Amino acid sequence: GEEDSPCDRTRAKDPLLPPGQPLPERRSRRLKSAEQDSKELKNLPIFGTSPKVMGLEIVPTDDGFNKKQRHLKSQAFAIKMRQRKETLEVNFIDLYMCLACGRGDEEDRLLLCDGCDDSYHTFCLIPPLQDVPKGDWRCPKCVAEECSKPREAFGFEQAVREYSLQSFGEMADHFKSDYFNMPVHMVPTELVEREFWRLVSSIEEDVTVEYGADIHSKEFGSGFPVNNGKRQLTPEEEEYARSGWNLNVMPVLEQSVLCHINADISGMKVPWLYVGMVFSAFCWHIEDHWSYSINYLHWGEPKTWYGVPSVAAERLEEVMKRLTPELFESQPDLLHQLVTIMNPNILMAHGVPVVRTNQCAGEFVITFPRAYHSGFNQGYNFAEAVNFCTADWLPAGRSCIEHYRRLRRYCVFSHEELTCKMAACPEKLDLNLAAATHREMFSIVQEERKLRKSLLERGITEAEREAFELLPDDERQCDKCKTTCFLSALACSQCPERLVCLYHTQDLCACPSDRHYLRYRYTLDELLAMLHRLKVRAESFDSWANRVKEVLEQEQSPKRALEELQALCDEATERKFPNNELLHKLQTSISDTERCRSVCAELLTHTHSRRMTLEELQAFVDQVQNLPCVVSQLGQVKVLLEEVTQFQHRAQAVLKGAELSPAQPEELEALLEQGAGLAAEAPECALLRGLQEQGRWLGEVRRTLGAGGRGVTLGVLRGLMEAGCNVPQSDAVETAMAELQELLTIAERWEEKAQICLEDRQKHPLSTLEAIVSEAQLIPVQLPNILALQGSLARARAWVTDLEEIQNGEHYPCLDDLEGLVAVGR
């Protein structure tokens, strides 16, 4: 609930004030105010414990007030009064005296402790205070008392109220919108981030938020589809339920080390859920056993992350210990408790590299072994996280156990037990994991041999077998370093409740060493046998993998025959090696080599279905050169490439010369004929064909314009114009197009004039028609309307000639002849 206000707290701690008395910021000021308001008390003489003294202890009526406390307070006051003179005038402020100097004057400099109500002058304190402090103040006695208390572990309080997902979301959104005074979706992430670190660095300002963290998905359900039989999944959900990206599936994949742990370790093998609100944070930490972690944000507002690479982990720990030594003195493993937060800017200022990101809904964030990370939520969201361990994690996991041993930190599981369990069934291991397990097991066996040898040198020869995996973890933990023992431990026959790992044999007990005995899980011979079986399983793959890597990755080595690569692939099939990245690369190289050989044969026999371009042929040659196999036809293909390159140089020279003077058609034809016979087509071939088409069109235009009008029609001109638009443009083409356009425009204009004259609407004089026809005949184009007009003009001339013959004849014409002549004239 809400905390009491400072005024409420002051009133509860000060029973000497009358009810309703105004409460200033500090108690010294309040006392001064009380003196001014109670002038009667100032002159009231008091000689000892008397009703008048009791009368000063005026409190609000409260049935719950402890009468015993009131009586003790009056007695304590009476004791103080006896130390003073017999007759003394006391005012209200004299009730509070400085415990350092014993005087009650300088009341404006008198401080009242908020813890015990003792009074001190500001100048009597060590060191003295210059001003009255703001907020609560504690006297030196209260500070010493608080410091002497046993330190409690740092952590977060468990909330009392329970939420549903909906009610938590309503609370979270309401809090954020009220805090920033705007809708939650409009608050910039930069503003939230800036405000978060301001609150972290603020000493006087507190903000309380709630975080639904570390919620067990087994109990409340996962955000991913789970095929647990509780409900029928849709086909789409079935696909996601089997996906390796499903956080319920990832920790138990075949390549995961954690799948060999039988127990469902919550948070590591079983995902945890996180329901966040604005400012809810996760402090600087690394994962248990330095494992990988993966976090998926199902929905909601972003989550801001800060990360430090594993190479800087020790630097971060050193900086934090140096800046906050008092915290690490009481809790050396403080950074493992997820309760320590520090501004990334401070870490970077001390040489720690820090990266950040905003994780949005639908995105994964993966942290690597021993990579410190922290962050906070931008608002209401829902995330799910789990740990996983791959083969490369095993050395990091062993280093983590050594680190835990130094910190005396409990382990979540036994690293030795996990490694030995994998080593006991090597045939079930993924080969990459088997190889990594062999390397890890070798280191463990070497260290175990050295530790047991040191016991023999101390004269401890008694031993008994112990199935440590059947014991509860708390019964097989080293009393000194809290490591979970598995391969061996040292025990005492007289102190059966004690047990230590072989690193702390000196810390077992004070009993004679002949009472000590070794408890072991496997003999050294059994460990060596397990190591050998791992070696057989792992080295067969390692040997094969090394040969494949040598073939695929060594660029300087001579190329191998295709048959050698095929033999390696067959070996993987015979030995039943599982699918792996190297095998896929090998199979890809074999298929690429076979395909390249086939393409080379097609190029050399000119049977390829589609001609390559020069660029494609160059890329193909480069691909063949990068193959790990020998391709015998490569030399011949390079010759083809050289021919195409030489042709390209000749074509470029011709094209450059064509810019100055037209290229000869015969030369272009010869070049194109040569290019057609090459294995690949140079890009200049298209330019040569364009140049050839250009020359043909210009020749057609010249023939058309030079024909003097014979056979040249408007359709021919329009066809040439359309064809000219489709040939590559040049100055010559543009000039020819301009000439054609001018001729076509003139011809169309005369056609229009002739059309007007041919219409019957208006009769024109023969002289006008003769002028039109004579001018139109100068155009080297056959114009249908002009020809029709020329025919009409010829008929008109013939009619005039007949009329003149009749008029100039010696005989009078017949009526029928005149009527026929008139009809023709009309």
Side-chain angles (χ1 to χ4, degrees), residues 91 215 394 435 645 698 741 789:
N91 56 32
I215 301 173
L394 286 170
T645 304
L698 289 172
Q741 183 64 53
L789 184 62

Side-chain angles (χ1 to χ4, degrees), residues 675-688:
L678 296 175
E681 182 173 351
E684 287 74 15
C685 285
L687 299 177
L688 290 174

Side-chain angles (χ1 to χ4, degrees), residues 540-694:
S540 61
F541 176 77
D542 282 347
S543 174
W544 176 87
N546 289 333
R547 282 181 286 143
V548 173
K549 289 178 181 178
E550 184 180 354
V551 168
L552 297 181
E553 298 177 3
Q554 291 186 4
E555 299 178 357
Q556 303 300 327
S557 63
K559 292 182 179 293
R560 311 300 177 91
L562 177 61
E563 293 72 20
E564 187 174 346
L565 270 70
Q566 190 62 55
L568 287 171
C569 191
D570 295 341
E571 181 182 347
T573 304
E574 291 172 5
R575 297 196 175 188
K576 298 181 180 179
F577 290 159
N579 285 334
N580 57 80
E581 187 178 355
L582 274 178
L583 182 58
H584 291 161
K585 286 183 178 180
L586 181 64
Q587 292 169 340
T588 302
S589 296
I590 292 174
S591 62
D592 287 348
T593 302
E594 291 174 343
R595 183 181 60 81
C596 288
R597 283 187 171 184
S598 174
V599 172
C600 286
E602 291 178 356
L603 286 172
L604 295 175
T605 57
H606 300 282
T607 56
H608 44 281
S609 58
R610 184 187 69 86
R611 287 183 72 198
M612 290 185 180
T613 64
L614 176 59
E615 183 179 352
E616 290 173 339
L617 181 59
Q618 182 65 61
F620 174 72
V621 170
D622 294 340
Q623 180 185 6
V624 175
Q625 288 177 330
N626 292 329
L627 288 174
C629 299
V630 175
V631 178
S632 57
Q633 304 102 315
L634 177 60
Q636 295 171 279
V637 174
K638 284 184 175 180
V639 172
L640 296 180
L641 177 61
E642 182 62 27
E643 291 176 355
V644 178
T645 304
Q646 291 177 356
F647 167 81
Q648 184 183 35
H649 295 329
R650 286 186 56 197
Q652 289 173 349
V654 170
L655 291 170
K656 189 173 182 180
E659 296 176 359
L660 303 176
S661 60
Q664 295 299 320
E666 297 79 8
E667 185 180 12
L668 291 176
E669 187 68 29
L671 266 177
L672 287 171
E673 196 172 318
Q674 179 187 357
L678 296 175
E681 182 173 351
E684 287 74 15
C685 285
L687 299 177
L688 290 174
R689 282 192 289 271
L691 199 60
Q692 187 181 43
E693 292 174 6
Q694 188 184 94

Side-chain angles (χ1 to χ4, degrees), residues 770-784:
E770 287 175 351
I772 292 174
V773 170
S774 61
E775 288 186 25
Q777 286 178 345
L778 300 177
I779 302 172
V781 182
Q782 294 182 5
L783 303 175

